[in-house]
Amino acid sequence: MTELLPDPVPARAMGSARLRADGPAKVTGLATYAVEHPADDPLHLWLVQSTVARGRLVDLDTAAALAHPGVVSVLDHTNAPRLVTDDPDTTDPELVVLQDDRVAFRGQIVAAVLAETSEAAREGAALVTARYETEPHRAELRDDSPAYAPESVNPDQPTDSDDGDVEAGLAEADVVVDQTYRTAYEHNNPLEPHALSVTWLEDDDGPRVTLVDSTQGVHPVAATLAPMLGLEKDRVRVRAPYVGGGFGSKGLPHAPEMAAVLAARTVPGRAVKLAVTRQQMFALTGYRTATVSHFRLGARADGTLLAIDHQVREQTSALKEYAEQTATPTRMLYAAPHRRTRHRLVELDVAVPSWMRAPGEMPGVYAHEIAMDELAIACGLDPIELRLRNEPDVDPETGKPFSGRRLVECLERGADLFGWADRTPEPRATADGEWWVGTGVASATYPTMTQAGSQARVSALGGGRYSVAVGAVDIGTGARTVLAQIAADALGCAVEAVDLEIADTDLPMATVAGGSSGTSSWGSAIVAAAQLFRRDHGEDPDSGVHTTASAAQSPGMEQYATHAFGAVFAQTRVHRYTGEVRVPRLLGVYSVGRVLNPVTARSQLLGGLTMGLSAALFEESHRDPRFGHVVTQDLATYHVASHADVRGIEAVWLDEEDPHVNPMGSRGIGEIGIVGTAAAVANATFHATGVRVRQIPVTADRFVG
Amino acid sequence: MQAEITLTVDGTEHRTTVDTRTTVLDLLRERLGNTSPKKGCDHGQCGSCTVLLDGRRHLTCLALAVAHDGAEVVTSAGLAAASDDELHPVQRAFLDHDGLQCGYCTPGQVCSAVGMLDEAEQGHPSHVTDDLEAVPELDDDEIRERMSGNLCRCGAYAGILAAVREAARS
Ligand code: FES
Ligand code: FES
């Protein structure tokens, strides 16, 4: 296997609109998702969750469950197979399932029922009774909760940053905005609940485990589970041909996956299917922590920023630390001589938080962009003008030039398209019948990353056809379509001549579909393999020859600060008497390098905008601190945007390429759509009503009374 | 407890013994091997399990199989199989407007759209219909309202709207 620095790829198929390759399979429902894969005589697993927030399981009565017809066994910490947990480098505390009697949060897996049918498994689980010795717990993120500074924040960034002297900058400022902004607990809620089918086989070479999983990364799942199972990674095969969304929650394996593997180990040769319920997802598959951002902006009267201070309080779990990187975008978004960021975590006895679409950027830019709106008002400036006045020449965090920073053009283009010039500067100035009407704007940014480690294999199939294989996953992003376009251009052949194989650990290593880095990472590997293949085998290769390669990182990634940018515009209507908020118009304008496929890219950007709108108006997981769990644990009480909530919505982009980040010239697009959107909506509600709401979701009660 | 029922699924009749706790959705997915309808919530809150049950759109996670002896089920897979083309026109429109991403809500959206177009044609009003007597005109507001029982977490609503609008016209 060779590492190659790929040359830029001339775009032919890249950039052209192609319909989703797996569209026909999806619209008919013939695409099969994890647990849907046929298996001979499978067993069904149902999880039993703790009903206390902290303590010890002292007794588990399984007699009634075992007596229930169809129930095969009940796994608990006394009889579950042992995991390898003595190596801290490979032991994920969240995955240490059914190993001891400790309860670290309400909803933790304390038992699992295997049965011949899903009905029997479910009823069996209901028949298990547990007795606990409870211990006092903490489950509320309060302003006075003790907090600590983590060693780093997700994924591996400094906890704090200091440039200049923030207090001096604030003292010198003519105008100061000093406010606190809050975001709610949010659950990813991909529409396909986490699910898998797993078989444990014992053959002559030892155990072999096969999973069909709903995951954003087959290789990462195998790499994470294998050492805890005492196996080499190649003894764990993971496939994920179709995945019903993830939004970060399927980026890493969670406890249910491990529970299913342990259960399968007790019934070698037989498939075990586990479909996590929607309710269980609220405790077992990750979520976004609530965040509290204390912002202080100091500026001259003309709006020029002198000081930016962003101090974040958020929550982690006692079982496993996760530090949302909420203040990291503040380090690069605007210029100011004096800047400071802080992240502080409150450790609670609750379910483990994790990645949710644009971790860090979503809550952080939300807070920053409302603070900017407040500053614009305080300075008597148009909010777009304020942003133009604070454009940095180079990345304020690293001092490097940007590989491309066209935020100003995004704002200006959006202003044109949106008709911003007609806006009255004063809030609460426009009414339409019983509705106050207003508009708001916010900037968006998301880092452009290419993960190291992906490999691709190009093989000649004869007759001018090629197989291109990479263990990547299409979770709805369009990877299956776009990677074939990239491969075609890299090989100089038609897209139709490419047989793309993905979603299997039997294929070359691929990194996770996360951090908006999938297409860039896997595409770079494909380009490297294709170019090396051509070098070694020419334009008319013999059938069967093949090349596997990975891509060396583009030197531009070191030389430049690489980020995507965008500007979001929202119009809101707020009902004068009921406070109901509607969003008739939402527009995002993006600078994301080359758009590889306008069809799938537009859908991803619109999807991000929609999720941002949903966060702005609806999404909130209510945790009851007395019991420690989220009580709004279904789709009737945890609201996500529905058809009727999404009105005029549009995503456009600048025509460009970023030559510094990868051979395709593309930046990631999966997450930037959600960034800034909630701020644009919140700012628009202020413009409509004159009422400043500093927390999301922006609910009707904020505008009445 | 077990009961014997007959169910016609996508044109094929099945005589089968079911656990009386079994939903139509689980019967389809876990016994009859038809995974076209999806399970997003199992509680009637997402719409991904929508099929046409005796000609009307229906949430199969809320339907006990034993209560639907003799029923006829058409899933999105069945809509395709019954079309002259390889796809039903509504499915074709979903593709053309990219009204999907992960595809998990999609078969339910398709069945819901097909059922909804039929309801509108029969003159059923919706929450946003002004004139309850007239045959409703399927403008964007009507489509959005009538499709709001089908959640799409990927946020493909704009494409779905365009697809259903096109299907409504033809
Ligand atoms: S699975 Fe039936 S409505 Fe969600
Ligand atoms: S396409 Fe993923 S939920 Fe609709």
Side-chain angles (χ1 to χ4, degrees):
Chain A
M1 217 276 306
T2 318
E3 186 179 89
L4 183 84
L5 180 63
D7 294 327
V9 179
R12 283 184 290 260
M14 295 192 309
S16 65
R18 292 187 71 90
L19 295 183
R20 212 169 274 277
D22 49 15
K26 286 177 173 174
V27 292
T28 53
L30 296 177
T32 39
Y33 298 71
V35 84
E36 300 174 352
H37 277 258
D40 286 337
D41 198 19
L43 290 170
H44 296 262
L45 189 68
W46 209 277
L47 304 175
V48 180
Q49 296 172 277
S50 72
T51 52
V52 302
R54 188 159 169 267
R56 219 166 54 78
L57 181 63
V58 290
D59 182 48
L60 200 69
D61 184 350
T62 60
L66 288 168
H68 187 73
V71 170
V72 172
S73 63
V74 180
L75 254 71
D76 62 27
H77 70 92
T78 64
N79 62 5
R82 297 295 94 185
L83 293 167
V84 179
T85 56
D86 51 7
D87 182 349
D89 288 342
T90 57
T91 302
D92 179 343
E94 187 185 351
L95 300 181
V96 181
V97 180
L98 299 176
Q99 301 296 296
D100 62 32
D101 59 359
R102 293 294 315 163
V103 173
F105 64 91
R106 182 168 171 139
Q108 180 183 313
I109 300 170
V110 293
V113 177
L114 259 182
E116 300 287 347
T117 65
S118 61
E119 291 84 6
R122 180 182 195 163
E123 186 144 356
L127 291 170
V128 172
T129 49
R131 219 157 44 76
Y132 303 92
E133 208 171 81
T134 56
E135 294 164 17
H137 70 268
R138 304 144 305 161
E140 192 173 16
L141 174 61
R142 301 158 59 110
D143 287 349
D144 61 356
S145 317
Y148 72 97
E151 263 179 39
S152 64
V153 296
N154 180 61
D156 189 19
Q157 304 184 72
T159 302
D160 297 343
S161 69
D162 289 279
D163 294 280
D165 181 343
V166 161
E167 298 304 335
L170 288 166
E172 195 187 327
D174 301 317
V175 185
V176 173
V177 169
D178 182 342
Q179 292 293 353
T180 299
Y181 307 94
R182 293 163 196 272
T183 64
Y185 289 103
E186 295 174 344
H187 279 76
N188 315 52
N189 277 310
L191 205 62
E192 182 204 13
H194 295 62
L196 71 160
S197 176
V198 49
T199 309
W200 186 288
L201 283 174
E202 297 282 350
D203 65 23
D204 293 345
D205 303 327
R208 183 176 293 279
V209 191
T210 58
L211 286 79
V212 188
D213 197 6
S214 185
T215 176
Q216 295 171 226
V218 289
H219 282 281
V221 167
T224 308
L225 297 184
M228 294 185 70
L229 297 168
L231 300 175
E232 294 299 319
K233 184 190 165 218
D234 64 4
R235 306 299 293 178
V236 179
R237 181 182 180 195
V238 183
R239 287 181 296 148
Y242 290 97
V243 178
F247 314 113
S249 73
K250 295 172 183 170
L252 296 166
H254 292 291
E257 272 137 306
M258 189 61 96
V261 174
L262 290 178
R265 189 172 187 169
T266 66
V267 286
R270 215 158 161 199
V272 169
K273 292 190 172 195
L274 171 63
V276 178
T277 68
R278 180 63 58 186
Q279 288 75 9
Q280 290 168 344
M281 287 168 69
F282 282 79
L284 292 174
T285 59
Y287 60 97
R288 194 195 310 278
T289 172
T291 68
V292 182
S293 283
H294 181 204
F295 249 99
R296 289 191 299 166
L297 297 179
R300 294 195 200 287
D302 67 359
T304 316
L305 281 165
L306 292 171
I308 303 175
D309 186 23
H310 185 183
Q311 310 218 8
V312 180
R313 286 168 63 81
E314 50 197 15
Q315 168 242 281
T316 184
S317 77
L319 184 59
K320 175 181 170 183
E321 183 182 278
Y322 173 78
E324 178 110 355
Q325 68 272 40
T326 304
T328 57
T330 305
R331 297 172 186 167
M332 53 65 65
L333 194 47
Y334 298 113
H338 307 289
R339 297 163 335 103
R340 172 164 67 194
T341 62
R342 295 280 182 273
H343 293 90
R344 296 294 177 267
L345 297 183
V346 174
E347 185 184 283
L348 300 178
D349 304 303
V350 295
V352 181
S354 185
W355 301 330
M356 178 162 166
R357 203 173 200 170
E361 273 72 20
M362 189 274 166
V365 174
Y366 149 81
H368 202 343
E369 288 300 287
I370 299 183
M372 289 296 278
D373 204 60
E374 300 211 54
L375 181 63
I377 306 256
C379 296
L381 278 176
D382 179 86
I384 294 179
E385 179 58 31
L386 174 70
R387 287 166 174 88
L388 304 193
R389 290 186 187 185
N390 289 291
E391 261 296 286
D393 299 326
V394 295
D395 176 16
E397 183 177 14
T398 61
K400 294 178 186 177
F402 286 100
S403 69
R405 178 174 166 123
R406 296 172 72 189
L407 172 59
V408 169
E409 281 165 83
C410 292
L411 287 162
E412 289 174 342
R413 172 98 181 272
D416 268 1
L417 290 169
F418 207 72
W420 189 259
D422 304 335
R423 182 184 196 251
T424 34
E426 304 75 41
R428 205 178 181 91
T430 309
D432 176 14
E434 294 184 341
W435 297 82
W436 292 112
V437 183
T439 51
V441 67
S443 302
T445 187
Y446 193 82
T448 296
M449 295 179 275
T450 304
Q451 317 261 5
S454 290
Q455 304 169 9
R457 184 177 63 233
V458 173
S459 320
L461 299 174
R465 298 194 59 78
Y466 301 90
S467 152
V468 175
V470 57
V473 179
D474 186 337
I475 59 170
T477 56
R480 209 176 241 114
T481 317
V482 171
L483 294 182
Q485 292 173 267
I486 295 171
D489 283 0
L491 284 164
C493 68
V495 178
E496 290 70 25
V498 174
D499 284 352
L500 183 77
E501 291 180 81
I502 60 168
D504 189 338
T505 49
D506 280 359
L507 306 174
M509 163 65 199
T511 49
V512 68
S516 298
S517 68
T519 303
S520 186
S521 309
W522 314 324
S524 297
I526 287 173
V527 172
Q531 292 177 350
L532 192 63
F533 175 90
R534 283 291 186 229
R535 213 176 286 170
D536 291 350
H537 304 295
E539 292 299 317
D540 188 18
D542 294 335
S543 178
V545 298
H546 55 85
T547 300
T548 302
S550 65
Q553 178 179 275
S554 163
M557 297 293 291
E558 268 305 306
Q559 293 157 4
Y560 297 95
T562 58
H563 301 263
F565 291 93
V568 190
F569 293 77
Q571 183 188 56
T572 60
R573 295 164 68 84
V574 183
H575 195 271
R576 189 189 287 263
Y577 304 118
T578 67
E580 181 186 349
V581 183
R582 309 293 293 162
V583 181
R585 292 177 69 200
L586 195 57
L587 166 71
V589 181
Y590 297 101
S591 165
V592 288
R594 188 197 307 285
V595 166
L596 296 168
N597 181 338
V599 174
T600 52
R602 180 169 176 272
S603 289
Q604 262 195 298
L605 294 169
L606 290 178
L609 283 164
T610 301
M611 204 178 269
L613 163 70
S614 189
L617 298 187
F618 309 119
E619 293 187 36
E620 182 170 20
S621 307
H622 286 278
R623 182 187 294 145
D624 187 331
R626 295 169 302 171
F627 306 109
H629 70 307
V630 169
V631 293
T632 51
Q633 51 179 354
D634 60 28
L635 294 172
T637 50
Y638 183 91
H639 287 182
V640 304
S642 74
H643 274 277
D645 299 312
V646 179
R647 324 288 299 177
I649 184 168
E650 225 184 316
V652 299
W653 47 83
L654 307 181
D655 188 14
E656 64 176 359
E657 59 187 283
D658 186 334
H660 304 297
V661 294
N662 59 40
M664 297 82 70
S666 62
R667 300 185 190 138
I669 54 172
E671 284 157 286
I672 191 163
I674 197 176
V675 181
T677 308
V681 171
N683 290 340
T685 62
F686 172 79
H687 185 238
T689 62
V691 177
R692 178 64 71 181
V693 180
R694 298 188 181 88
Q695 67 186 72
I696 48 171
V698 178
T699 45
D701 53 304
R702 308 277 161 200
F703 301 101
V704 291
Chain B
M1 198 178 134
Q2 309 278 317
E4 204 176 348
I5 65 162
T6 304
L7 203 67
T8 302
V9 181
D10 295 341
T12 305
E13 190 180 290
H14 300 268
R15 182 119 196 105
T16 175
T17 303
V18 293
D19 190 316
T20 50
R21 296 168 296 190
T22 303
T23 61
V24 172
L25 181 61
D26 286 343
L27 172 61
L28 290 169
R29 287 169 60 83
E30 292 173 9
R31 310 283 191 291
L32 303 181
N34 185 328
T35 54
S36 178
K38 306 299 181 194
K39 186 187 281 189
C41 71
D42 216 14
H43 277 57
Q45 299 166 349
C46 76
S48 64
C49 63
T50 307
V51 304
L52 298 167
L53 185 73
D54 292 330
R56 297 198 58 180
R57 51 180 172 161
H58 206 102
L59 300 177
T60 49
C61 70
L62 292 186
L64 286 172
V66 69
H68 291 276
D69 186 17
E72 171 154 3
V73 169
V74 177
T75 70
S76 198
L79 287 172
S83 305
D84 305 335
D85 204 354
E86 274 163 31
L87 294 175
H88 185 278
V90 168
Q91 294 169 332
R92 173 66 55 197
F94 267 68
L95 287 189
D96 290 345
H97 296 279
D98 206 41
L100 67 147
Q101 289 189 54
C102 77
Y104 200 76
C105 72
T106 315
Q109 302 272 5
V110 166
C111 288
S112 191
V114 170
M116 178 277 267
L117 292 172
D118 187 49
E119 288 159 22
E121 206 171 296
Q122 292 178 39
H124 297 194
S126 83
H127 176 67
V128 299
T129 309
D130 287 331
D131 183 350
L132 300 184
E133 305 293 324
V135 174
E137 193 196 323
L138 285 185
D139 60 15
D140 288 358
D141 278 352
E142 281 279 3
I143 294 172
R144 290 189 186 108
E145 176 64 28
R146 288 166 189 261
M147 291 298 293
S148 278
N150 291 79
L151 296 177
C152 176
R153 186 56 162 160
C154 295
Y157 296 126
I160 296 169
L161 173 70
V164 177
R165 196 196 283 137
E166 182 182 308
R169 270 203 220 109
S170 54

